[in-house]
């Protein structure tokens, strides 16, 4: 006998949990109401029961219709979404690449297929089908964020979903080209200045001046036309130019050869002209660019001229040229104007502080003593800020002489005392350096950053103070003492003159920086030395100050014995890692090597007393050691430079030095 089977069809709406809960609640209320109605009145209960049955039939039917319509709508929507997803995978302008576990191509959409032409790559190893794309994907396989990459000479934004073995590629070549074009067509503003036109023209006839001016203008115009640069002459020695960043990059690739061309050709005409160039870019405000271009030109001039300085907004500067020694100026007009400006600043200040560089030499101390004397000539109290850390023997002997002069000795104070004495009306004068980090009074420098004067003979660097009241930076000068000595000629005649000790210290500063008048010495150097000698400078005492003690002399000889030669022209001393040397001893060692036949540049790598690695460099002028030291974070002159390296050992520092030397010598050879 066949077993009976019963099927109970549940209304569709009861399959919905929320609708089922509502239905049960309504049924409970309805049953409760019917029970109460039957208890109250039988016929009333019968009537309500009939109405309830009819109502429930209508409600169940309508709810079933609503549920059916909702289900139909969801089914249609699911179909549309599913179809849309399929169409999107096939039609949307984004490449999709799916790989299997062994990096074979599992599937690609039609949009990506066009990058493989008609080649069918399904089932092929990606490394074989698209090796460049494979390398890109493997390189960024663990990267969860989108990245930009170049494939088939086109730019893509790629996203890798490693868990799904899926890669998405969006071609942004068109937008990348627009961005590149935008960047390339940004405006740069530059200024060109003829460094020594005024000096040369003083000894030339009108015809010669006109010929020289026309030659330079024609040469610059041809150069500007070659690169598509807008060039406008402002006056006899000043030009303004506008160019695109793309054009500037081409000129930089040529390393501003126009500087060398004009210098070499005018030398052949017996009128050597050098150019300084300052260029700025990276801002939409043309007024700001013009100001920055002028600042870059000032930086080029402050570094000695004959060079180009390119500095984008808020980025480090780039330097080109600067291969020649700065030419000595023939006029003293600037010295007189600076002296008068300095006198006015001194008179408007309540007191003056002189800040030499740390680990001072005779030039730094001589300049400080000279400034103090000038302040006294203008009836102003002046203090010399001095830190006794690591003082060489020459300064020790000078300090012994200073202590015998009670008034002068009282003017020498520590940085801490200077900070206490200073007021907002005080004046800070930096001598023999222009980098606040190198100063002995760094806290005072920060406090008086808007009340600062700079007197220096080193080439101007990027860390130059932002707003000095007065800057007298002359790289052509032999020393800071030479610059300050010239100021004495413009002081009042009825004041107390420079003392014998001060004159001796300043003469010693000139002797040290010129290596006894053998390097970087001009006519004004001898004029300054002559003035100091006539003011009582004692040459015997200069010799006494500069004498080496036995230990330093033996250390210097020992360092020289460690020399090896990178070539016939370049000598390098590499000191021991376990022995420390002071900067003066190291500098004298490399100075001595320049007396060796054929040696054009000498370097020393040594452990300093401050636990940093020091590098000192000297040159006879044929090799620009300033550029080499700047490559390592330092600076200096064409013929003298230095730097300090932290967190390096002797071997690593020497390796970096050799790399910088080769880079600069190769660049000089290319020019």
């Amino acid at each position: 006998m066949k077993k009976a089977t019963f099927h109970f069809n549940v209304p569709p709406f009861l399959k919905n949990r929320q609708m089922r809960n509502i239905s049960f609640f309504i049924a409970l209320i309805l049953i409760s109401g019917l029970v109460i109605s039957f208890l109250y009145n039988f016929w009333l209960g019968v009537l309500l029961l009939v109405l309830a049955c009819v109502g429930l039939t209508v409600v169940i039917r309508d709810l079933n219709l609503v549920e059916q319509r909702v289900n139909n709508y969801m089914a249609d929507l699911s179909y549309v979404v599913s179809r849309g997803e399929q169409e999107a995978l096939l039609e949307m302008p984004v490449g999709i690449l799916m790989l299997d576990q062994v990096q074979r191509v599992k599937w690609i959409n039609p949009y990506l297929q066009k990058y493989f032409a008609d080649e069918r790559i399904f089932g092929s190893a990606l490394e074989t089908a698209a090796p460049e794309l494979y390398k890109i994907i493997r390189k960024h396989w663990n990267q969860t964020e989108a990245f930009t990459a170049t494939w088939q000479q086109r730019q893509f934004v790629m996203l890798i979903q490693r868990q799904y073995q899926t890669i998405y590629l969006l071609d942004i070549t068109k937008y990348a080209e627009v961005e590149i074009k935008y960047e390339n067509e940004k405006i740069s503003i530059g200024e060109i200045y003829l460094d020594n036109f005024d000096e040369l023209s003083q000894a030339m006839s009108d015809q010669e001046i006109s010929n020289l001016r026309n030659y330079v203008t024609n040469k610059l115009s041809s150069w500007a036309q070659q690169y598509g640069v807008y060039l406008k002459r402002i006056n006899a020695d000043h030009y303004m130019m506008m160019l695109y960043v793309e054009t500037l990059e081409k000129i930089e690739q040529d390393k501003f050869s126009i500087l060398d061309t004009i210098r070499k050709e005018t030398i052949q005409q017996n009128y050597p002209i050098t150019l300084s160039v300052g260029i700025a870019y990276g801002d939409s405000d043309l007024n700001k660019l013009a100001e920055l271009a002028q600042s870059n030109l000032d930086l080029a001039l402050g570094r000695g001229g004959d060079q180009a300085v390119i500095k984008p907004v808020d980025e480090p500067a780039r330097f080109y040229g600067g291969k020649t020694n700065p030419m000595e100026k023939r006029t003293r007009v600037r010295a007189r104007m600076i002296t008068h400006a300095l006198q006015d600043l001194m008179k408007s200040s309540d007191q003056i502080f002189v800040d030499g560089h740390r680990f001072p030499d005779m030039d730094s101390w001589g300049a400080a003593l000279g400034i103090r004397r000038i302040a006294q000539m203008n009836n102003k109290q002046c203090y010399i800020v001095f830190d006794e850390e690591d003082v060489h023997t020459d300064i020790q002997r000078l300090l012994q002489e200073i202590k015998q002069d009670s008034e002068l000795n009282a003017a020498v104070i520590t940085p801490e005392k200077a900070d206490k004495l200073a007021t907002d009306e005080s004046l800070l004068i930096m001598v023999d350096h222009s980098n606040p980090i190198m100063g002995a009074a760094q806290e005072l420098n920060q406090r008086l950053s808007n009340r600062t004067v700079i007197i220096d003979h080193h080439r101007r660097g990027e860390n130059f103070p932002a707003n000095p009241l007065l800057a007298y930076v002359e790289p052509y000068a032999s020393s800071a003492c030479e610059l300050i000595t010239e100021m004495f000629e413009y002081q009042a005649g009825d004041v107390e003159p420079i003392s014998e000790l001060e004159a001796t210290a300043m003469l010693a500063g000139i002797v040290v920086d010129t290596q006894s008048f053998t390097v970087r010495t001009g006519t004004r150097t001898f004029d300054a030395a002559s003035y100091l000698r006539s003011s009582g400078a004692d040459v015997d005492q200069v010799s006494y100050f500069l004498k080496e003690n036995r230990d330093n002399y033996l250390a210097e000889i020992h360092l020289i014995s460690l020399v090896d030669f990178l070539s016939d022209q370049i000598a390098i001393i590499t000191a021991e890692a376990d022995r420390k040397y002071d900067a003066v001893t190291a500098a004298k060692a490399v100075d001595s090597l320049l007396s060796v036949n054929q040696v054009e540049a000498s370097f020393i790598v040594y452990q300093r007393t401050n636990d940093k690695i020091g590098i000192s460099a000297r040159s006879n002028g044929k090799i620009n050691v300033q550029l080499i030291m700047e490559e390592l974070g330092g600076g200096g002159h064409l013929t003298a430079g230095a730097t300090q390296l932290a967190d390096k050992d002797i071997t690593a520092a020497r390796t970096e030095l050799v790399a910088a030397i080769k880079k600069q010598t190769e660049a000089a050879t290319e020019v």
Side-chain angles (χ1 to χ4, degrees), residues 137-254:
I137 292 173
R138 294 311 303 169
K139 179 180 179 181
H140 300 276
W141 184 249
N142 295 319
Q143 189 168 328
T144 57
E145 298 179 353
F147 59 92
T148 303
T150 301
W151 175 53
Q152 291 191 355
Q153 298 180 340
R154 300 187 71 81
Q155 198 85 356
F156 290 88
V157 171
M158 299 186 185
L159 176 64
I160 298 175
Q161 289 187 321
R162 190 176 57 174
Q163 64 272 34
Y164 304 119
Q165 298 285 115
T166 302
I167 299 94
Y168 300 91
L169 299 90
L170 177 62
D171 191 339
I172 59 168
T173 303
K174 180 174 67 175
Y175 307 106
E177 290 174 348
V178 171
E179 182 180 4
I180 292 172
K181 185 176 181 181
Y182 167 73
E183 292 295 332
N184 288 340
E185 293 184 353
K186 282 185 175 180
I187 294 295
S188 302
I189 293 181
E191 296 194 29
I192 301 175
Y193 182 75
L194 307 186
D195 298 331
N196 53 335
F197 182 81
D198 286 341
E199 288 76 19
L200 283 176
S201 61
Q202 292 179 6
M204 298 167 65
S205 65
D206 291 344
Q207 181 65 44
E208 290 171 331
I209 293 173
S210 178
N211 291 340
L212 180 60
R213 185 185 299 150
N214 290 337
Y215 163 79
V216 174
T217 301
N218 291 337
K219 206 70 180 178
L220 287 174
S221 297
S222 300
W223 170 77
Q225 188 174 8
Q226 175 187 352
Y227 287 100
V229 176
Y230 171 77
L231 182 72
K232 180 69 175 178
R233 191 176 79 178
I234 299 175
N235 52 44
D237 57 2
H238 201 177
Y239 299 78
M240 188 272 286
M241 60 179 176
M242 296 183 69
L243 63 161
Y244 292 126
V245 169
E246 182 180 22
T247 302
L248 178 59
E249 290 176 355
K250 294 177 181 178
I251 295 174
E252 288 192 73
Q253 290 173 3
D254 187 46

Side-chain angles (χ1 to χ4, degrees), residues 41-87:
N41 187 299
F42 176 79
W43 296 110
L44 177 61
V46 172
L47 178 63
L48 290 177
L49 178 61
V50 172
L51 291 175
C53 291
V54 174
L56 281 174
T57 302
V58 174
V59 169
I60 290 172
R61 186 197 65 184
D62 290 345
L63 288 175
N64 283 333
L65 288 174
V66 170
E67 181 68 19
Q68 183 178 2
R69 289 172 183 170
V70 170
N71 289 337
N72 291 338
Y73 172 77
M74 294 301 296
D76 291 341
L77 180 61
S78 177
Y79 171 78
V80 170
V81 171
S82 178
R83 183 63 183 270
E85 290 176 347
Q86 295 175 8
E87 292 293 332

Side-chain angles (χ1 to χ4, degrees), residues 471-492:
Y472 189 26
V473 181
E474 297 290 359
Y476 72 86
S478 68
S479 57
C481 287
E482 176 187 325
L483 295 174
I484 294 171
T485 298
E486 292 181 341
M487 296 181 179
F488 285 107
E489 299 180 27
Y490 307 106
Q491 304 302 319

Side-chain angles (χ1 to χ4, degrees), residues 641-659:
T643 188
Q644 296 183 41
L645 303 178
D647 302 323
K648 291 279 192 312
D649 58 24
I650 293 286
T651 303
R654 188 185 192 282
T655 301
E656 290 189 18
L657 172 62
V658 171

